[in-house]
Amino acid sequence: MKQSDLGKLIQPFHVMELVKQADALEVQGKPVIHLSIGEPDFPMPETVQIALTKAVADNKTRYTPALGLPELREAISNYYMTTFKVRVPATQIVVTSGASAALMYACLALINPGQEVLLTDPGYPCNKTFVQMAGGNPCFVQTQECQNFQPSWADLSNHWTNRTAGVLLASPNNPTGTQLTTTAMKEIVGGIQTQGAFAIVDEIYQSLCYDLPAQSVLQVTGAPSEQMPLVVINSFSKYFGMTGLRLGWMVVPESLLPVIERFAQNLSICPNTPAQWAALACFTQETLAICEERRQIFKARRNFMVEALPKAGIELHSTPDSAFYIYAKAPFDSDAYCRELLEKAWVCAVPGKDFSQHRGHEMMRFSYANSMESLDEAIQRLRQFNNGTC
Ligand SMILES: Cc1ncc(COP(=O)(O)O)c(C=O)c1O
């Protein structure tokens, strides 16, 4: 059967091949340690599990409005006020099937075929796909280690052309686990505003930060508007540990709501209904306390890995302060290195090529979404592997 041109453009996740190999080794009984995983190793908070079970038992399983449950939109609006002291009306919040659907709706609503969208390199691999699905051309802006792999306005404006429609970036970012400074964020949104372009800011790892309080671009800009053409993306996947429930949200200018609603109606009808009812439990004191405890555990793991990796022969060139990733230099070609590391030391880390067009072959990503015991064992194996003793 003939494939579409878009189908041919879509790139696979190269990492999945490595994970398949890791799975095969595990079937053979090898004690593989996964430092490859992009989701919390904790189960969904018990409070949310209970709410989910209750939602199903109460038959809350029919379609909801396409923009999401009004109660949940209201709860997210309150969360912005209580946590970030920023007023975001519930009417500007759209609940989506994960950050993934929010990114897709944003790109479909904002990009015209042939327009360019600036993306950071390294960055989340699917972003280019969302841009391409809207007919846009992803244009990669290489970020520097000395800026913690986050762009400045100067970096972005150097890539600006008359076809540039806007910018899509993430803070904190995947694979780097680093954030934009408030100053850089201000300069970037100011520059984009002057250009009359759009900014899509993905804040999916927002509350998983370890050195500074969690921040939002909305604290700099206020709620998006005609004057501030901004879309903010977020999710219940990471901080709330609900990856499989497929629930996220976006904050949009009011003028964008009707088009986002049309895309939501047509593409998914509504987000998962029981998941939306369960998500209401995320904003209780009890759940937030569980998430805070987990954030502290991630912080301890981050501290351990940042200290231990260089001693095990892995150079770090940036300071990861968020998410659960460390982006580091591989001792040799990262593809070959990750493959050998898996085959000989049974440690599964990810080569950089999914995340970076420019330096993917040099860099690799470690995820510390694993127990301290496993991280400790992984570091010992890494040290032996890098010393040539395993
Ligand atoms: C930066 C970034 N944005 C979006 C997503 C998609 O997340 P979700 O599970 O909310 O669709 C991910 C998933 O890893 C991510 O790392």
Side-chain angles (χ1 to χ4, degrees), residues 64-81:
T64 68
L67 297 178
L69 266 185
E71 293 88 334
L72 184 55
R73 295 169 75 194
E74 199 60 54
I76 296 169
S77 166
N78 290 338
Y79 180 63
Y80 277 115
M81 180 48 84

Side-chain angles (χ1 to χ4, degrees), residues 38 98-100 103 124 170 174 202 204-205 235 237-238 246 325:
S100 303
L103 285 162
Y124 180 53
N174 174 8
D202 181 351
I204 183 169
Y205 296 100
S235 177
S237 287
K238 312 288 177 169
R246 310 306 306 127
Y325 306 120

